[in-house]
């Protein structure tokens, strides 16, 4: 007799299927024809891992062996090795905003989330050190500037980040980051 953990895995699988995460990822980031798993299947397994028992990439295969991943997702645990996981993450990285936006739009439709009014929750993260432009990733530069951080450390540079959420369900809608101060209307309503 083989025992495997089930936990919230079936719930995670059902939500992932209703949101069509695998289909969306595969449409935006098609995998190679010779792949045993599509990028979408791998990303679904990674999301399920994060939701049930987060593990480093090198341990996701072990997680899949002890949890009922094969039974729930139909994925052989040996296929979830760190190399395959990394290839899927590399494939979606340049298209992450499209994937997240499409999944978010699907969630709004699938679950009937009212987005007629949103609350914008801003916070700031203070950073210190030098950030020379030549050492930064051109696609994802870190631009920190002075401003009015919530931790009141005016001597440090900051990055502001925000999340728009629905008032009733508290569902996140639009994450974002900025080095510019938020508009006054947002700033005054967030206090």
């Amino acid at each position: 007799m083989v025992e495997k953990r089930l936990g919230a895995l079936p719930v995670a699988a059902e939500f992932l299927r209703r949101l069509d995460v695998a289909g969306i990822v595969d449409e935006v980031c098609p995998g190679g024809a010779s792949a045993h798993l599509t990028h979408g299947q791998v990303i679904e397994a990674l999301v399920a891992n994060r939701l049930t028992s987060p593990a480093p990439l090198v341990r996701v295969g072990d997680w899949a062996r002890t949890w009922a991943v094969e039974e729930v997702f139909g994925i052989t645990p040996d296929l979830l090795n760190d190399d395959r996981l990394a290839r899927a993450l590399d494939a979606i990285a340049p298209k992450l905003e499209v994937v997240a936006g499409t999944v978010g739009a699907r969630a709004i439709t699938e679950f009937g989330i009212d987005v007629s009014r949103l609350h914008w929750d801003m916070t700031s993260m203070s950073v210190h050190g030098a950030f020379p432009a030549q050492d930064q990733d051109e696609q994802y530069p870190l631009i920190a500037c002075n401003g009015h951080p919530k931790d009141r450390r005016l001597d440090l540079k900051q990055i502001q980040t925000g999340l728009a959420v629905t008032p009733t369900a508290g569902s996140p809608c639009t994450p974002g980051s900025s080095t510019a101060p938020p508009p006054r209307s947002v700033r005054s309503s967030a206090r």
Side-chain angles (χ1 to χ4, degrees), residues 31-73:
S34 64
H36 294 287
L37 296 174
T38 67
H39 293 317
Q41 289 173 299
V42 173
I43 296 304
E44 275 194 346
L46 272 175
V47 170
N49 170 258
R50 298 290 111 182
L51 293 173
T52 58
S53 183
L57 291 183
V58 297
R59 299 277 183 251
V60 170
D62 296 336
W63 163 80
R65 276 185 273 290
T66 59
W67 285 70
V69 172
E70 190 166 8
E71 292 77 6
V72 173
F73 288 97

Side-chain angles (χ1 to χ4, degrees), residues 109-127:
T109 303
E110 181 68 21
F111 299 109
I113 299 170
D114 178 16
V115 292
S116 60
R117 190 177 79 200
L118 299 174
H119 295 277
W120 186 248
D121 183 17
M122 300 268 321
T123 190
S124 61
M125 297 172 279
S126 295
V127 295

Side-chain angles (χ1 to χ4, degrees), residues 82-169:
D82 60 332
D83 179 62
R84 181 63 186 98
L85 301 175
R87 280 187 280 128
L89 291 171
D90 285 344
I92 70 165
K95 310 236 175 159
L96 196 54
E97 286 184 19
V98 174
V99 170
T102 308
V103 170
R106 175 70 186 233
I108 290 167
T109 303
E110 181 68 21
F111 299 109
I113 299 170
D114 178 16
V115 292
S116 60
R117 190 177 79 200
L118 299 174
H119 295 277
W120 186 248
D121 183 17
M122 300 268 321
T123 190
S124 61
M125 297 172 279
S126 295
V127 295
H128 57 88
F131 303 100
Q134 69 270 17
D135 293 342
Q136 295 194 29
D137 185 333
E138 290 177 20
Q139 193 171 2
Y140 305 104
L142 172 62
I143 305 168
C145 65
N146 293 320
H148 302 284
K150 295 184 187 251
D151 62 4
R152 310 223 186 271
R153 291 289 310 267
L154 299 176
D155 58 319
L156 299 176
K157 295 198 180 286
Q158 69 171 329
I159 298 171
Q160 290 185 335
T161 186
L163 184 66
V165 297
T166 60
T168 53

